[in-house]
Amino acid sequence: MHIVVCIKQVPSSIAVKTDPATQALTCTGSDYLINPFDENALEAALVLKDSDKAKVTVLTIGAAQAADVLREALGRGADAAQFISDAAFDGSDAWATGKILAAAIQKLGDVNLVICGKQTFDGDTAQVGPSLAEFLGWPCVAFVRKIALEAGALKVERMYEEGFEKIALPLPAVLTVGKEINTPRMASLKGRMAAKKAQLAPITAAALGLAPETVGAQGARTRLAKMAPVPRKSGGIKVDGSDAAVAAKTVVDKLREMKLV
Amino acid sequence: MGVQYGFSEQQTEIRNTMREFAKERVIPARAELDEKEEFPHALLQELGKMDMMGLYIPSELSGFGGGSFDFCIAIEELSRICIGVSVSYAANALGSYPILLFGTDAQLKKYMPPIAKGEKYCAFGLTEANAGSDAGGIQTTAVLKGDKYILNGTKQWITNGGEADTYTIIAMTDKNKGARGASAFIVEKGFKGFSFGKKEKKLGIRCSATRELVFQDCEVPKENILAREGMGFIVAMKTLDTSRPGIAAQGVGLAQGALDEAVTYARTRVQFDKPIIANQAIQHMLANMATKTEAARALTYAAARTIDAEEKDVSKISAMCKLFATDVAMEVTTDAVQILGGYGYMREYPVEKMMRDAKILQIYEGTNQIQRNVIGAALIKEYASMK
Ligand SMILES: Cc1cc2nc3c(=O)[nH]c(=O)nc-3n(C[C@H](O)[C@H](O)[C@H](O)COP(=O)(O)OP(=O)(O)OC[C@H]3O[C@@H](n4cnc5c(N)ncnc54)[C@H](O)[C@@H]3O)c2cc1C
């Protein structure tokens, strides 16, 4: 059993700012972490490794610093890591990203299961998992909250707002998971020490047999035209607090008016 | 900004691992564990999976193979967030040191690997109702009958009591010989005649389990004696010499944690139209707290390095760091409450717990008066031997 987990480095939520002119996210010089749902994906794979002796490989696409998330994953117990990095990949949309990941998974050859986080913290499309499944031609179930491996096939539970579905599917397959599925473990000391020494040479577009114009901004099928902030809710009613007695009476009157007291 | 203590790459990794664990797992849990007086079993289990429970245990025995300095770094980081959790963690080492220092190959192989993996906990039992500082007054007896020692007596206030599976116990094999009549034993939970008292209600470290160990004709296999008959107090004293820097590290971590809270609060609390940290009186308090904490850290690390260098007699430096760092912890946590004012006194803020937790550090593993006695005795010996 060979499980691939796709993980992405995302800015930590506190550090993100938006450019007032373009409304695009600017994340330079801030803290990064593993996309939270990808941590759940990794944990789901590691749980299968603990019970079914699977091999776990983590993949990421990103610039030099993205290798950090691979080291973190190795520290937690992943067996191998693939650092996919090439300037040609810049500007990839969900479609192009799925294509690159699918190429890397195909190149590994013996993969039975791919687990992704259901969506990322920054891009938020929830499309990469299904997109790479499409490129691989494998079945995909998104928003999974439970995975069981039985006689070489999968039984999973897929979440809905009000309830869940039980789905059986064959391998190979692609799953995407949310935070409901587990609590991610922390890296062990020995794992961290070993991960520090791991060699993570970048795997380029050429190495994956991808023509530069079919990936990255050039290969993207979608373009981000505009971003806009969500309009803030109107600020409620402000009561002048300079005189406490008057303020209290005003508040009580309002509450009475709204029939809340 | 940071002080350079010459950490190895491994030590930096140990610090970061425990720091992240303390932040992610212990901060959200500490107030509730304290309130419910609940043993931090889940946290210790996770530390086991992270190689932390076996940090100080040799790798041949399934541990990580770290030394005293490594272990102190880990204890310090955990203590910065919660002393209740950190004592539950570190007391495993206190219980294990008698075996690590004096155990036979067979004893080491039988008892250490499960402790190293966090599958079993360990505890050390010396204190009794009438024998605290004066450990020579212990009344628990061990009498050899055939191939078993029969233990009778009660140990009091044993950290990890009831939770641990493995206990190292000091008992008298020959009362007529005084201090030379004590011996150390490995006793397993489940041995016939071994039971536990109720969990004590305490001022601080409330999540840690403190219980009586009751021996009523308890049968301990003969091969479970550590070292030889009569070596009990030597085992106990060497154990405490080795473990005291761990208590010092608790003091350093706790003082740092309280300082963290005090500075953070003083920067944001506004009175008289300015943050309280703008008052020199507050700055000077913080300066004293920070300086003493750093001095305690330096002394603790020096003691740990002395142990790692296999210096023969470490009693004095070990007592010094325990004494100094834990007095600093009491002082700094008290001042932290003062800086937070009434908020500091409330349970919504962590410093009231820190102040409650600090007190035990001046009492257990030898009160700070006893540490001064140890240092005094060492000075007398040292200067008497000078020509
Ligand atoms: C929460 C907790 C956990 C503990 N865990 C353990 C454990 O895991 N294993 C274990 O064996 N023990 C444990 N102990 C016991 C602890 O080590 C003792 O409480 C400690 O050694 C002091 O003994 P005592 O409490 O009997 O005080 P006493 O010895 O009665 O001392 C009372 C006071 O007199 C002072 N005093 C006594 N003799 C002298 C002297 N010669 N000179 C000057 N002052 C003196 C002391 O400093 C103290 O201030 C624990 C205790 C507590 C409270």
Side-chain angles (χ1 to χ4, degrees), chain B residues 229-250:
Chain B
E229 268 194 27
M231 288 280 283
F233 282 118
I234 295 182
V235 171
M237 293 311 132
K238 285 274 173 215
T239 292
L240 292 169
D241 283 350
T242 312
S243 68
R244 277 175 185 150
I247 305 298
Q250 284 196 303

Side-chain angles (χ1 to χ4, degrees), chain A residues 3-158:
Chain A
I3 307 172
V4 159
V5 180
C6 302
I7 62 180
K8 186 182 181 188
Q9 191 180 45
V10 294
S12 78
S13 54
I14 330 123
V16 184
K17 291 193 177 69
T18 45
D19 181 328
T22 60
Q23 296 298 340
L25 300 179
T26 56
C27 341
T28 40
S30 54
D31 289 341
Y32 292 86
L33 37 82
I34 301 183
N35 176 51
F37 299 127
D38 300 354
E39 293 190 282
N40 297 108
L42 174 62
E43 181 63 26
L46 294 175
V47 167
L48 289 173
K49 176 182 165 173
D50 291 343
S51 60
D52 296 82
K53 303 213 185 331
K55 174 185 177 184
V56 177
T57 300
V58 282
L59 299 188
T60 197
I61 307 175
Q65 70 203 5
D68 290 350
V69 295
L70 294 178
R71 290 188 201 283
E72 173 67 31
L74 289 168
R76 290 188 199 187
D79 301 287
Q82 299 239 311
F83 177 43
I84 304 164
S85 191
D86 192 323
F89 298 145
D90 290 356
S92 289
D93 63 352
W95 194 87
T97 303
K99 186 172 184 175
I100 300 162
L101 290 170
I105 290 160
Q106 262 158 353
K107 190 152 184 279
L108 283 169
D110 60 348
V111 177
N112 312 90
L113 175 62
V114 178
I115 311 180
C116 303
K118 65 177 176 150
Q119 69 207 71
T120 53
F121 225 51
D122 53 353
D124 229 11
T125 67
Q127 305 235 342
V128 169
S131 151
L132 82 90
E134 195 59 32
F135 280 107
L136 290 168
W138 294 358
C140 174
V141 180
F143 310 129
V144 168
R145 67 162 203 188
K146 199 170 172 188
I147 304 173
L149 199 57
E150 277 172 37
L154 289 170
K155 284 198 173 149
V156 303
E157 289 181 12
R158 158 200 174 97

Side-chain angles (χ1 to χ4, degrees), chain B residues 94 124-129 131-134 156-159 202 205 210 360 363-370 373:
Chain B
L94 177 67
F124 175 69
L126 172 64
T127 305
E128 297 178 6
S133 301
D134 183 10
Q156 171 171 277
W157 302 336
I158 303 310
T159 303
K202 305 189 293 292
I205 56 166
T210 315
I360 191 58
I363 296 173
Y364 63 21
E365 294 204 21
T367 66
N368 283 5
Q369 284 76 24
I370 295 304
N373 290 357

Side-chain angles (χ1 to χ4, degrees), chain A residues 218-230:
Chain A
Q218 275 183 287
R221 297 288 175 93
T222 55
R223 295 260 179 279
L224 179 69
K226 188 173 176 241
M227 276 180 92
V230 178

Side-chain angles (χ1 to χ4, degrees), chain B residues 106-136:
Chain B
Q107 289 169 337
L108 288 165
K109 285 201 182 106
K110 178 168 182 195
Y111 288 105
M112 293 320 297
I115 296 169
K117 292 182 214 154
E119 293 163 2
K120 288 187 174 170
Y121 304 135
C122 195
F124 175 69
L126 172 64
T127 305
E128 297 178 6
N130 295 317
S133 301
D134 183 10

